[in-house]
Amino acid sequence: MAIKVCKFGGTSMSDSKAISRVSEIIKAEKDRRYIVLSAPGKRNKEDFKITDKLYECYNTKCKCGTCAEPFKFIRERYQEIVDALKVKIDLKSYLDVIQKEIDESTAPDYAASRGEYLSALIMAKYLDYEFVDAAEIIRFKEDGSFDDVLTNELASARLSGVAYAVIPGFYGTLPNGVVKTFSRGGSDVSGSIVARAVSADLYENWTDVSGFMTADPRIIDNPKIIKKVSYQELRELSYMGASVLHPDAIFPVRLSGIPINIKNTFSPEDKGTMIVAHSPAHKADELVTGIAGKKDFSVILVEKSMMNSELGFARRIMSVLEEFGISFEHMPSGVDTLSVVLATSYLVGREDKIVARIIEAVSPDSIVVHHGLALIATVGHGMNAKVGTASRIFTALAKANVNVRMIDQGSSEKNIIVGVQSVDYEATIKAIYNEFFGEN
Ligand code: ASP
């Protein structure tokens, strides 16, 4: 029998109706054996995510000594779920223990993790699957970083004898047993960890959209869904702002090449997006897989004549960046110029200091900082060794009257990045989208 690991996100778990839909999906296939769950998300726009409320519980207990008041919301939400689904569980006892432990905790992680914990406990009872606590199988090192080796050992051993299990997402434990969470949206990572540990054939990630879009739907009306994308392409797109999956969720499955299928709980027949290890064979008309972008970048432009023959010039600039803990995006250079493209947030409140240090390090003829740059990545293995993709991008941008301030194409040819003024951000995405995905 094949093994599928299914992770369901917050919207899929938001109330009893959504949860019974989730259980139908699980039961529709015997292969759906390991279920990783998020905490209930928002039921409507005005609602609160359970995880946000749990952080509020921790903050309130820090201020007032107890989280009793905001914890009422947690009690009500889970009570509705348990009552409507008629799950036989002594919810009150669990909630009383959690409230007490939040009041005694010294970090927000324990509180934040309880949303997933309760989701999984209830679902395990509802489905009659075994509950396996993430605290037993997901480990962090003392310095807080994820311990992939130990986790894989523990999770494989614990799950090997269990045919059907429900596991809470988002958290694990430190060596001293204290709960620690991943960053927000981290249940995607937990799902991936479980998929690797049980050598799954497929990791299904169930959410509230039918896959990755080829471009941001806030800018493009009804963009096409990406049918297939490689891990690498997805990394590029997620890094540049496309969000559906936690960017770290790829690492555990990448090691063993397990595909991830993004599926829609509210439209389960949709095929969704398949994320695969190797670049799928592209048809001639599938040069580009997707487009993504981000605003709020700055450029530090350094000029010095004879720069290109001055050994160690770039290294000295890079050490200044390192000194300030800056990780830069791009470093395009000319004969006598070098630009550093970096997130504007790195410069806030210390731009003058950074500039002064660069002047000290390389004595440039001039140094200027420009703000308000947006970066847009056009991503696709299909571009590799094909003539004319860059020309299509730049012709489309010229027609849209967009001035390109910076260009960067890695030699892997899977990605062309353009830098434009932030005001041209949307026009750039529209022009590139219409060129490669438009109906013309
Ligand atoms: N519940 C957590 C969050 O809201 C983790 C997750 O849903 O993946 O970030």
Side-chain angles (χ1 to χ4, degrees):
M1 190 171 33
I3 300 178
K4 289 187 183 173
V5 169
C6 304
K7 178 259 167 180
F8 291 88
T11 336
S12 309
M13 296 297 297
S14 59
D15 60 11
S16 55
K17 242 171 101 189
I19 295 178
S20 56
R21 192 188 284 266
V22 164
S23 110
E24 275 164 35
I25 293 173
I26 296 168
K27 287 189 175 146
E29 281 190 34
K30 276 242 154 288
D31 299 346
R32 295 188 170 133
R33 291 173 42 188
Y34 301 97
I35 313 302
V36 176
L37 298 177
S38 277
K42 292 183 182 189
R43 292 161 294 187
N44 51 58
K45 270 204 176 132
E46 290 71 43
D47 199 12
F48 298 96
K49 285 184 173 187
I50 286 282
T51 311
D52 290 334
K53 270 283 168 190
L54 286 165
Y55 279 115
E56 189 186 323
C57 286
Y58 178 76
N59 292 336
T60 307
K61 94 93 202 175
C62 291
K63 274 189 231 131
C64 320
T66 171
C67 67
E69 192 49 41
F71 199 73
K72 281 184 192 154
F73 178 88
I74 308 290
R75 289 181 180 272
E76 280 161 23
R77 289 278 305 262
Y78 283 105
Q79 197 63 54
E80 180 273 331
I81 292 170
V82 163
D83 290 347
L85 299 177
K86 301 194 175 55
V87 179
K88 287 196 185 63
I89 184 171
D90 184 2
L91 185 65
K92 186 173 176 304
S93 303
Y94 282 108
L95 291 166
D96 290 347
V97 170
I98 291 171
Q99 182 177 329
K100 185 167 163 284
E101 300 227 333
I102 294 177
D103 284 349
E104 285 165 8
S105 60
T106 51
D109 296 47
Y110 171 80
S113 72
R114 293 305 90 181
E116 275 64 17
Y117 173 79
L118 287 168
S119 282
L121 259 185
I122 294 168
M123 191 60 129
K125 284 256 186 291
Y126 188 54
L127 292 170
D128 199 19
Y129 279 22
E130 183 167 340
F131 169 76
V132 175
D133 195 346
E136 285 180 57
I137 59 173
I138 295 189
R139 283 293 151 83
F140 293 89
K141 296 180 190 162
E142 220 154 324
D143 65 3
S145 63
F146 171 56
D147 191 337
D148 63 335
V149 176
L150 181 57
T151 295
N152 197 45
E153 270 172 34
L154 292 171
S156 308
R158 176 69 178 87
L159 296 170
S160 68
V162 184
Y164 292 92
V166 181
I167 304 138
F170 192 36
Y171 71 94
T173 44
L174 290 160
N176 61 5
V178 169
V179 167
K180 176 169 169 50
T181 64
F182 290 106
S183 58
R184 296 301 302 266
S187 301
D188 287 341
V189 186
S190 312
S192 186
I193 291 166
V194 171
R196 178 184 176 212
V198 300
S199 302
D201 298 281
L202 182 67
Y203 169 24
E204 288 181 339
N205 189 291
W206 291 83
T207 175
D208 54 1
V209 289
S210 292
F212 267 94
M213 314 263 179
T214 44
D216 187 339
R218 287 166 300 188
I219 299 172
I220 305 291
D221 255 357
N222 238 335
K224 292 188 176 150
I225 299 282
I226 302 179
K227 290 193 195 108
K228 238 184 198 183
V229 59
S230 71
Y231 295 150
Q232 256 185 347
E233 288 172 321
L234 189 72
R235 276 289 291 159
E236 304 269 354
L237 289 167
S238 327
Y239 181 73
M240 289 301 283
S243 63
V244 166
L245 192 70
H246 190 293
D248 293 344
I250 290 168
F251 295 114
V253 287
R254 187 175 197 159
L255 296 169
S256 33
I258 300 164
I260 308 175
N261 191 186
I262 306 288
K263 295 276 286 175
N264 188 349
T265 300
F266 304 93
S267 189
E269 333 51 56
D270 291 354
K271 290 202 162 44
T273 300
M274 276 302 260
I275 307 164
V276 294
H278 300 292
S279 54
H282 286 81
K283 297 192 204 113
D285 60 345
E286 285 176 351
L287 286 176
V288 170
T289 303
I291 303 157
K294 280 204 267 192
K295 288 185 186 170
D296 299 323
F297 290 96
S298 300
V299 192
I300 305 176
L301 172 62
V302 186
E303 286 193 33
K304 186 175 186 187
S305 59
M306 306 297 284
M307 169 196 294
N308 76 331
S309 54
E310 191 176 320
L311 275 183
F313 190 90
R315 182 185 49 76
R316 285 198 291 278
I317 293 191
M318 283 194 216
S319 11
V320 174
L321 300 179
E322 199 177 337
E323 215 177 278
F324 284 89
I326 295 172
S327 108
F328 67 91
E329 303 291 320
H330 304 278
M331 195 179 265
S333 62
V335 187
D336 290 331
T337 62
L338 188 147
S339 317
V340 182
V341 180
L342 71 177
T344 306
S345 54
Y346 281 126
L347 297 175
V348 175
R350 51 187 195 159
E351 183 175 324
D352 293 346
K353 261 197 210 150
I354 294 169
V355 167
R357 277 290 294 124
I358 295 179
I359 294 174
E360 205 182 308
V362 296
S363 319
D365 298 337
S366 78
I367 176 165
V368 220
V369 184
H370 296 291
H371 299 296
L373 192 77
L375 299 179
I376 294 98
T378 306
V379 175
H381 286 294
M383 298 192 279
N384 191 0
K386 299 261 167 46
V387 174
T389 321
S391 128
R392 283 176 67 184
I393 294 177
F394 296 114
T395 311
L397 293 180
K399 275 194 204 145
N401 210 14
V402 170
N403 177 30
V404 177
R405 302 271 321 268
M406 187 213 79
I407 304 168
D408 194 350
Q409 177 185 15
S411 54
S412 67
E413 293 186 67
K414 60 175 183 296
N415 190 348
I416 296 177
I417 293 174
V418 294
V420 300
Q421 284 300 123
S422 289
V423 286
D424 289 330
Y425 178 69
E426 300 193 351
T428 303
I429 292 189
K430 281 184 185 153
I432 302 176
Y433 183 87
N434 287 337
E435 176 59 33
F436 293 99
F437 299 104
E439 303 297 337
N440 33 340

